[in-house]
């Protein structure tokens, strides 16, 4: 079975209000900081430092991020891999991610 991307908005369809709403949750901000390394991450809560959360809760947060256009999720068999859509977000809202990530460092 070939890898497939889960549904996500096209770059031009990413809306600032939806991005900001998605990032208005502390768990999703934490996920943003993790995904900012540019790598692809599994959906395992333990690997994300979110072992205190139920797997379905983590899945919900990942879906919100994907549907807002912040992340991209690749499905490979039973596994899913998440990556930040850095280039798309930088093209759509220049400087937004940098400002958000700087604020998380404080």
């Amino acid at each position: 079975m070939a890898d497939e991307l889960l549904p996500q908005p096209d770059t031009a369809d990413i809306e600032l209000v939806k991005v900001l709403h998605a990032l208005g949750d502390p768990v999703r901000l934490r996920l943003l900081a993790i995904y900012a390394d540019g790598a692809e991450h599994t959906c395992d809560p333990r690997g994300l430092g979110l072992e205190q959360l139920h797997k379905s809760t983590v899945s919900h947060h990942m879906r919100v991020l994907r549907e807002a256009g912040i992340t991209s999720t690749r499905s490979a068999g039973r596994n899913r891999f998440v990556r930040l859509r850095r280039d798309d977000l930088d093209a759509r809202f220049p400087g937004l991610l940098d400002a958000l990530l700087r604020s998380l460092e404080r």
Side-chain angles (χ1 to χ4, degrees):
M1 178 179 226
D3 291 359
E4 76 177 75
L5 284 178
L6 297 185
Q8 63 187 28
D10 291 332
T11 303
D13 295 330
I14 298 173
E15 298 176 33
L16 182 61
V17 170
K18 289 182 180 179
V19 169
L20 294 176
H21 181 265
L23 294 174
D25 181 279
V27 172
R28 292 192 289 266
L29 274 176
R30 185 170 174 189
L31 285 169
L32 175 69
I34 292 167
Y35 298 151
D37 67 4
E40 197 172 59
H41 295 267
T42 68
C43 295
D44 181 2
R46 294 169 299 187
L48 298 168
L50 299 173
E51 54 276 336
Q52 75 280 10
L53 298 177
H54 194 277
K55 189 174 181 179
S56 64
T57 301
V58 175
S59 293
H60 165 75
H61 287 302
M62 291 178 173
R63 181 177 51 82
V64 170
L65 290 171
R66 178 178 48 80
E67 289 177 351
I70 298 167
T71 60
S72 176
T73 303
R74 178 176 64 87
S75 178
R78 299 176 123 208
N79 299 310
R80 292 188 176 188
F81 301 93
V82 179
R83 175 183 300 262
L84 181 65
R85 292 178 64 184
R86 178 79 191 222
D87 292 342
D88 294 337
L89 289 166
D90 285 345
R92 191 82 174 100
F93 310 111
L96 177 65
L97 280 180
D98 291 331
L100 289 168
L101 292 169
R102 273 194 310 273
S103 73
L104 294 175
E105 293 171 359
R106 297 184 182 131

